[in-house]
Amino acid sequence: MRVGFAGLGVMGTPMALNLLRAGTPLVVWNRTHERTAPLRAAGATVAPTPADLVAKVDVLLMMLADAAAIDATIADVPIEDKIIVHMGTTAPQHSAALAARVQARGGRYVEAPVSGSRKPAEAGELVVMLAGDPDDLAVVGPLLAPLGRETFTCGPVPGALTMKLAVNLFLITLVTGLAEAVHFAAGHGLDLDQFVDVLDAGPMASAVSRVKARKLVDRDFAVQASIANVLDNNRLVAAAAREAGLASPLLDTAHALYAETQALGHGPADMAAVLHAIERRTSTGAR
């Protein structure tokens, strides 16, 4: 089976490298050509254009930034009998419409968003969510096994993306709450290293809290999942909540804080940088 990979960003590069390490022959493409260098060095074939990429493969994996990038990549490209796999995060409505367009052009479509950030992507420990026709999932599921520790089938499209948004809602509010807790501890003069030790020893500890608490205390904002990306995800979750008539009070508060963090110039930083917005509210007296 010939496999293509489009989108070599913070997540896409380690994912594609893990596929190569597992022995999957890979053809790759990225809008910024320089980012293909690590994949070429690891043995991938580099396609100069999306059309060339799609022509060379049976299955196309897309880890692209947004709906516009996805639509542009496969627009006017022959996809008959190809399996198009959407692995990024877009609105469920966009994915459902994309599935219809792909199928109308003779292609097959699978959703396969992943839960996890750069470190789990590098370690092959993502959680993969799948949605689509069972016959297509039987092809795509084993192909994606090197990327994650567990795979879940979430029914028809857009079940996987809706599941991803629910998971992201918890992640966003979790990290925002953790940032506020660190701010509270610092503001009371507590030993922050001891705070992390207490948190790690207790029932609230998780893989996320263990990584993000240390980053917050060390003020290490090297990107794993960026403020800009999290803000985009926040907008998608909020829109899906409004579409279903659901209240999302914690998410809405986080939404405002991530927007403030981006306005402060921290869009490329890790989501832990939401701490800057919380600190700014304290310094200005905003509550």
Side-chain angles (χ1 to χ4, degrees):
M1 182 174 296
R2 302 173 301 166
V3 179
F5 201 107
L8 301 173
V10 170
M11 295 287 289
T13 293
M15 290 165 65
L17 286 170
N18 281 336
L19 289 171
L20 282 168
R21 293 181 187 120
T24 304
L26 214 56
V27 184
V28 302
W29 172 83
N30 193 71
R31 183 173 53 184
T32 305
H33 184 74
E34 291 75 12
R35 289 188 176 178
T36 63
L39 278 301
R40 185 192 297 273
T45 299
V46 176
T49 65
D52 186 63
L53 172 68
V54 175
K56 285 181 165 66
V57 303
D58 305 300
V59 178
L60 174 62
L61 309 177
M62 298 188 296
M63 191 63 180
L64 295 165
D66 52 32
I70 293 165
D71 294 345
T73 298
I74 61 170
D76 304 319
V77 173
I79 57 172
E80 187 174 356
D81 296 327
K82 313 281 186 180
I83 302 179
I84 306 299
V85 184
H86 171 20
M87 302 193 71
T89 306
T90 62
Q93 298 93 324
H94 167 264
S95 183
L98 179 62
R101 294 198 302 273
V102 167
Q103 290 159 3
R105 293 166 58 190
R108 298 146 69 187
Y109 182 82
V110 170
E111 280 181 351
V114 297
S115 180
S117 58
R118 179 174 58 84
K119 290 290 188 183
E122 290 172 347
E125 294 181 352
L126 298 167
V127 175
V128 182
M129 292 153 277
L130 295 174
D133 183 276
D135 290 340
D136 297 335
L137 299 187
V139 175
V140 173
L143 176 65
L144 300 183
L147 304 183
R149 63 172 180 266
E150 197 157 358
T151 298
F152 294 89
T153 299
C154 303
V157 173
L161 268 169
T162 307
M163 183 69 75
K164 171 69 185 293
L165 294 186
V167 170
N168 279 2
L169 193 159
F170 179 58
L171 172 65
I172 291 166
T173 55
L174 172 66
V175 174
T176 307
L178 183 59
E180 187 171 323
V182 169
H183 180 64
F184 177 90
H188 283 82
L190 297 181
D191 181 327
L192 294 185
D193 290 326
Q194 186 178 56
F195 167 76
V196 173
D197 290 341
V198 172
L199 182 63
D200 285 350
M204 288 87 71
S206 67
V208 171
S209 73
R210 288 188 175 95
V211 171
K212 297 301 185 186
R214 190 74 262 166
K215 286 177 74 67
L216 285 159
V217 167
D218 293 343
R219 303 188 73 84
D220 168 18
F221 302 124
V223 67
Q224 294 177 340
S226 73
I227 289 290
N229 180 256
V230 173
L231 181 57
D232 286 342
N233 276 261
N234 205 317
R235 290 172 179 141
L236 291 173
V237 180
R242 300 295 90 80
E243 180 75 17
L246 301 172
S248 56
L250 294 179
L251 178 78
D252 295 343
T253 297
H255 195 163
L257 287 166
Y258 282 96
E260 290 169 27
T261 308
Q262 178 155 280
L264 290 169
H266 302 292
D270 186 74
M271 66 185 299
V274 71
L275 181 63
H276 290 298
I278 298 170
E279 291 173 339
R280 177 66 177 268
R281 288 196 183 191
T282 291
S283 68
T284 60
R287 297 293 183 269

